[in-house]
Amino acid sequence: PIVKVKPNYCPPPPSPCGPTPCILPKRNWGQWEFSAQAFYARTRGKVRWATGQSGFVHPALDFNSDLGLPGHKWLFEYSARYQFRPHWSCFYSIMPIEMDETYQHPNFPGQVFKTKWEYLYQRVGLTYQPIVTCNAVVSIFGTWTFNDQKMTMNSGSHCPLNSTTTVTRTRNMVMAGIEMQNCIRTLCNGATLSCDNRVGVGFLDNTFALDVQAGLR
């Protein structure tokens, strides 16, 4: 028959269940997509600060060995995407991180240290998909990236070491990169397993960041 619209070039999964082509689910024009992603992350870093009166710069403290924060932690990212054109979408993602630990440093017997680290990582951006096939999608993205972190350290209850120090830092960056999603397996009920990889580079605000991700969806 003569039609005014181009038919779908990706064939639907056959029914009843049989050999199924690998078809990657996609957002259509005007659709929303909500997702949550889990990371088992290696958390490490160092913190240093200067006192406001004397200008003395405190030696750097290690997150794990000095402050007692765990070396690994499950982190979660929540995101929403809206496809406003066939090859264009906008998205927002947020990753809240909070660690609260009580730690007894081996070099200070009887001294209890308390550390609380709060970190908020947010991205807002645009995505352009130059390559869209039945089983693969390549996307180029540009984002505004904002992260706000606060570290509160309490040296304990024994004088004269009892003191509380708070270090804060806010960053506003621009990030650009590429995402590649490829279909691995589609079941006869439409459930699909795919690999989802991303590489991004962030800059501005006296900061350079490298965001590399390899995962499954």
Side-chain angles (χ1 to χ4, degrees):
I2 300 175
V3 293
K4 293 185 178 180
V5 235
K6 184 178 180 181
N8 189 2
Y9 57 86
C10 293
S15 182
C17 189
T20 306
C22 197
I23 301 174
L24 191 65
K26 301 178 182 65
R27 295 179 307 275
N28 292 323
W29 189 353
Q31 285 187 333
W32 284 89
E33 176 188 293
F34 300 94
S35 62
Q37 192 167 12
F39 302 87
Y40 186 63
R42 170 73 172 98
T43 53
R44 62 182 178 183
K46 294 184 178 181
V47 59
R48 69 176 65 191
W49 67 93
T51 57
Q53 298 177 351
S54 64
F56 171 74
V57 179
H58 194 282
L61 297 180
D62 185 85
F63 274 28
N64 312 126
S65 60
D66 295 324
L67 300 177
L69 296 175
H72 295 85
K73 185 177 177 64
W74 281 102
L75 305 179
F76 297 91
E77 182 182 23
Y78 310 93
S79 61
R81 294 176 181 264
Y82 178 68
Q83 197 79 23
F84 64 90
R85 296 290 293 175
H87 291 270
W88 287 90
S89 63
C90 56
F91 69 91
Y92 168 78
S93 70
I94 181 171
M95 184 188 297
I97 303 171
E98 182 174 321
M99 299 183 187
D100 194 350
E101 296 293 331
T102 300
Y103 177 60
Q104 184 169 336
H105 199 288
N107 296 334
F108 300 94
Q111 184 72 22
V112 177
F113 296 87
K114 296 181 179 180
T115 303
K116 185 175 183 179
W117 182 42
E118 301 168 90
Y119 189 98
L120 186 64
Y121 182 84
Q122 299 181 84
R123 297 190 305 142
V124 177
L126 290 173
T127 299
Y128 172 66
Q129 299 171 324
I131 300 176
V132 179
T133 67
C134 294
N135 53 17
V137 175
V138 176
S139 306
I140 299 173
F141 64 86
T143 69
W144 166 71
T145 303
F146 170 79
N147 64 65
D148 182 28
Q149 61 177 320
K150 178 182 179 182
M151 177 82 73
T152 304
M153 297 158 284
N154 189 304
S155 61
S157 57
H158 300 285
C159 294
L161 296 178
N162 183 34
S163 64
T164 300
T165 301
T166 302
V167 180
T168 60
R169 178 70 162 93
T170 299
R171 289 185 173 91
N172 291 275
M173 295 181 291
V174 172
M175 181 170 287
I178 185 171
E179 296 178 349
M180 292 167 286
Q181 189 176 6
N182 189 70
C183 183
I184 298 176
R185 175 77 183 276
T186 298
L187 302 180
C188 59
N189 62 358
T192 301
L193 175 67
S194 64
C195 63
D196 190 7
N197 305 318
R198 181 177 75 201
V199 178
V201 176
F203 49 92
L204 296 185
D205 201 3
N206 197 28
T207 301
F208 175 80
L210 182 62
D211 185 2
V212 180
Q213 170 185 302
L216 296 174
R217 176 181 297 193

